[in-house]
């Protein structure tokens, strides 16, 4: 675990240099005609023949609807992370540096959730809500899993969040408000990760084969379920594609390939760093995510 002095330094930064979405994000800026909403490398339908038959506005609208789904899943993932932190904080003395840092992190995570919600409103987005399977997964996670398993699942969602955010904030063709939202999130999550690494060491240093395998499965299932929230048939119906059902089937296959190629490298490094890939888990990662492990 981190030394008390390091945690106190992070608390000081959080108090003295907060990044407030109200002032950091230029909410008054409206999208320019040439602005996109999601890098093409992450748009589910891009690369398929049908994509070239769409108007420029339809292509942009698909990116807009899909990034709304991404933002919606971010807020959901961070809400689950707050449940973990609240559970963990209950085990700590209130005057301890760890407890006080968790309180600061919870404050920032709730600000992020509000920021994502405001961004969805800014994009005139109407998120497609979770399926029954998603809701059941979240309920089981928050109500039944011990804090360490909930931590692993929430951390996986954070890593995917950062990966998407890195692609978007570095792409000058993306709407400025979106780039600044992802930039703010990246800066604050960079501070959180220092504390998170200490927790990770605490949970994994004494974990044996079975526990590491279970951690690996929790991470895998969380990534799989979050990924399935991004691409939905209703998006293609909204933009006026007549054979939306067939296009959705093609888009899912195309997106899964893109996701495996563009979004898994950091996750794989993370899981590999504490021995989460073994004879019991590799097959599942290859089957569900086409991970090269």
């Amino acid at each position: 675990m981190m030394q008390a002095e390091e945690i106190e330094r992070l608390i000081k930064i959080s108090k003295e240099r907060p990044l407030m979405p109200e002032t950091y994000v230029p909410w008054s800026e409206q999208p320019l005609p040439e602005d996109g909403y999601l890098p093409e490398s992450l748009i589910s339908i891009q690369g398929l023949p049908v994509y070239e038959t769409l108007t420029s506005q339809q292509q942009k609208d698909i990116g807009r609807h899909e990034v709304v789904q991404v933002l919606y899943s971010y807020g959901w993932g961070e809400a689950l992370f707050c449940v973990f932190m609240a559970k963990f904080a209950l085990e700590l003395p209130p005057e301890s540096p760890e407890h006080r840092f968790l309180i600061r992190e919870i404050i920032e995570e709730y600000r992020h959730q509000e920021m994502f919600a405001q961004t969805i409103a800014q994009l005139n987005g109407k998120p497609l809500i979770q399926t029954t399977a998603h809701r059941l997964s979240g309920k089981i996670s928050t109500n039944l899993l011990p804090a360490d398993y909930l931590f692993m699942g929430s951390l996986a969602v954070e890593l995917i969040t950062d990966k998407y955010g890195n692609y978007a904030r570095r792409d000058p063709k993306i709407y400025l408000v979106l780039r600044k939202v992802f930039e703010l999130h990246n800066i604050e999550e960079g501070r959180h990760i220092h504390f998170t690494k200490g927790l990770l060491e605490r949970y994994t240093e004494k974990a044996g084969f079975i526990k590491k395998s279970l951690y690996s499965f929790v991470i895998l299932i969380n990534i799989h379920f979050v990924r399935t929230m991004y691409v939905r048939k209703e998006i293609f119906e909204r933009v006026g594609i007549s054979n939306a059902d067939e296009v959705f089937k093609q888009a899912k296959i195309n997106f899964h390939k893109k996701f495996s190629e563009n979004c898994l490298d950091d996750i794989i490094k993370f899981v590999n760093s504490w021995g989460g890939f073994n004879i019991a888990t590799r097959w599942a990662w290859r089957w569900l995510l086409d991970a090269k492990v």
Side-chain angles (χ1 to χ4, degrees), residues 138-205:
K139 189 172 184 178
I140 291 173
S141 297
T142 53
N143 292 341
L144 300 180
L145 288 183
D148 54 339
Y149 290 91
L150 189 55
F151 166 76
M152 289 294 180
S154 300
L155 184 56
V157 176
E158 289 288 341
L159 288 170
I160 293 298
T161 304
D162 281 345
K163 177 60 71 172
Y164 259 72
N166 286 341
Y167 278 116
R169 69 189 175 85
R170 293 169 180 167
D171 188 338
K173 294 181 289 186
I174 298 300
Y175 175 34
L176 178 61
V177 165
L178 276 169
R179 282 189 280 132
K180 296 300 284 185
V181 163
F182 288 128
E183 185 176 273
L184 183 153
H185 186 261
N186 177 264
I187 293 169
E188 291 202 324
E189 290 304 317
R191 294 203 298 263
H192 297 171
I193 202 67
H194 290 293
F195 186 79
T196 300
K197 283 180 178 178
L199 275 182
L200 179 63
E201 291 172 7
R202 171 186 291 187
Y203 288 142
T204 60
E205 64 181 355

Side-chain angles (χ1 to χ4, degrees), residues 5 65 123 214 233:
E5 294 78 10
H65 288 304
L123 296 174
L214 291 173
K233 182 181 72 172

